[in-house]
Amino acid sequence: MDQFIVKPLFGGDELHWYTPSNVTLWLALTVLGVFLLLVAGTRRRAIVPSRTQSVAELAYCLVYKMVEDVTGKEGLRYFPYIMTLFMFIVFANFLGLLPMAFTTTSHIAVTAVLALLVFVGITALGFALHGMSFLRLFWVDAAPLPIRPILAVIEVISYFVRPVSHSIRLAGNMMAGHAVIKVFAAFAALAAISPVSILAITAIYALETLVAFIQAYVFTILTCVYLKDALHPHH
């Protein structure tokens, strides 16, 4: 699990909140990558787009369509935040696949902050838009009256579990994939099974490339689902 250890960039062993580390380095590179694609890459917009502009436009259309389909037209005003969230996670996941890189989204400290920002922001939005009637999200009108209180308790618990599942899903998938690759890499030193080990690493790496995108998509679409609950809290 050495690849997940947070280390200071400039020597020493002590870490403080202000210490530049491998995590802060790769978080900064993630932000830089998003900026280069969405801002620098689209600065010279053309009718016939360049490759960089095409990728930026595809990402824009994907997230825009996702927000519109899940939340409706009302959710489009929050599109900039959701687009930023998606691009940040995608770049963090893919940068973590580079040799000698650090996968920031494999750390719960990073994914928990992203999930809590979504949870707190959407909860505040729900109360801001609907006041106390936002609590009707937990009251299932379609269910028979005797079981509504039980369902309300279940709904409350599931609501507060959201940031936990939201963050652990992303961090767990990214950590698990990288750990499996490292395990197979350890067997590559054995001549008898090194061909099998190398094939396994190649296959898992290809799978991790797909997972890197899928996990960003899942995190984002769940954010849209939670946003829909804030915009339309009535069952």
Side-chain angles (χ1 to χ4, degrees):
M1 304 295 283
D2 311 6
Q3 59 182 312
F4 304 113
I5 296 175
V6 180
K7 301 174 182 177
L9 286 180
F10 305 110
D13 298 321
E14 292 190 7
L15 278 169
H16 304 281
W17 66 268
Y18 54 82
T19 305
S21 65
N22 49 354
V23 177
T24 53
L25 171 64
W26 286 96
L27 285 174
L29 290 175
T30 299
V31 174
L32 177 62
V34 175
F35 174 83
L36 290 176
L37 176 64
L38 296 183
V39 180
T42 59
R43 185 172 54 184
R44 298 179 179 177
R45 291 183 291 274
I47 296 177
V48 180
S50 63
R51 292 177 182 176
T52 306
Q53 183 181 332
S54 295
V55 172
E57 289 178 355
L58 284 171
Y60 182 97
C61 292
L62 173 68
V63 179
Y64 188 95
K65 184 67 174 172
M66 183 196 310
V67 175
E68 186 177 34
D69 288 347
V70 176
T71 67
K73 294 291 185 181
E74 303 95 326
L76 291 176
R77 64 186 300 181
Y78 309 103
F79 165 77
Y81 177 77
I82 297 175
M83 177 69 177
T84 303
L85 189 66
F86 174 78
M87 295 305 300
F88 178 85
I89 296 173
V90 161
F91 268 85
N93 289 353
F94 277 102
L95 285 175
L97 292 173
L98 297 176
M100 306 304 292
F102 186 90
T103 312
T104 53
T105 45
S106 67
H107 271 240
I108 196 69
V110 174
T111 60
V113 170
L114 297 176
L116 282 172
L117 286 173
V118 170
F119 178 78
V120 173
I122 286 177
T123 303
L125 176 65
F127 280 108
L129 292 177
H130 306 285
M132 295 306 292
S133 64
F134 176 62
L135 296 176
R136 293 196 64 185
L137 175 67
F138 309 114
W139 191 253
V140 185
D141 293 325
L145 186 59
I147 67 171
R148 288 182 194 178
I150 300 173
L151 291 178
V153 173
I154 295 173
E155 289 288 336
V156 169
I157 293 172
S158 65
Y159 187 83
F160 282 96
V161 168
R162 282 180 177 182
V164 179
S165 61
H166 209 186
S167 57
I168 290 178
R169 182 184 293 105
L170 176 57
N173 276 281
M174 300 313 298
M175 177 180 283
H178 286 69
V180 170
I181 290 175
K182 191 67 178 286
V183 169
F184 278 103
F187 289 112
L190 303 175
I193 60 172
S194 60
V196 177
S197 178
I198 291 171
L199 286 174
I201 292 171
T202 304
I204 295 171
Y205 194 90
L207 178 62
E208 279 301 293
T209 304
L210 182 62
V211 168
F213 175 80
I214 289 175
Q215 287 305 312
Y217 184 87
V218 169
F219 193 98
T220 309
I221 201 166
L222 284 174
T223 301
C224 292
V225 171
Y226 300 157
L227 175 60
K228 180 185 177 183
D229 287 343
L231 297 174
H232 310 286
H234 305 295
H235 282 276

